[in-house]
Amino acid sequence: MVNHEMENLEKSLRQTIKHLATGGRLVIISYHSLEDRIVKQFMKEESTGCICPPQIPVCQCGHKATLKLITKKVIMPSLAEIESNPRSRSAKMRVAERI
Ligand SMILES: [Zn+2]
């Protein structure tokens, strides 16, 4: 996957949460570790209020959390699932809820 596709992934994640109703869940399954990293960063940032750098004493970003993390850690398929569906081997799932 090339760089602009990674940017597109983040953009489409952003678009998706705009259209999610409160309580709606965002379930993302990645098959590539770079994709999962973007999903992880995105969910972390969107589940955090202020995202100012730590050296700024007063919040200037005004950022508000839009997601609550449902999965604290990435979910991977069980061995049984991998046996019955080998393509699931590299799958990584993360879930967050719109707040
Ligand atoms: Zn801030």
Side-chain angles (χ1 to χ4, degrees):
M1 219 187 198
V2 292
N3 233 350
H4 74 265
E5 286 176 311
M6 293 298 172
E7 282 168 29
N8 285 343
L9 172 61
E10 201 194 322
K11 262 186 211 150
S12 53
L13 288 170
R14 243 170 245 297
Q15 283 299 321
T16 306
I17 58 169
K18 266 189 207 156
H19 297 291
L20 264 185
T22 303
R25 287 194 170 181
L26 182 68
V27 179
I28 308 288
I29 299 175
S30 315
Y31 290 91
H32 192 290
S33 60
L34 285 176
E35 289 170 349
D36 180 62
R37 199 189 304 163
I38 289 178
V39 174
K40 179 186 177 181
Q41 269 173 7
F42 176 81
M43 286 188 174
K44 189 178 167 213
E45 191 179 298
E46 287 306 312
S47 61
T48 307
C50 171
I51 51 168
C52 291
Q55 63 269 28
I56 295 181
V58 178
C59 174
Q60 294 184 341
C61 68
H63 187 264
K64 289 197 170 62
T66 56
L67 294 175
K68 178 178 86 180
L69 295 183
I70 302 298
T71 52
K72 304 278 181 218
K73 280 191 174 165
V74 67
I75 294 177
M76 314 254 259
S78 63
L79 278 177
E81 192 175 343
I82 292 172
E83 266 168 30
S84 67
N85 177 16
R87 284 182 57 231
S88 71
R89 192 166 25 118
S90 56
K92 293 187 168 109
M93 183 171 85
R94 296 182 187 273
V95 184
E97 190 177 289
R98 185 77 164 90
I99 53 175

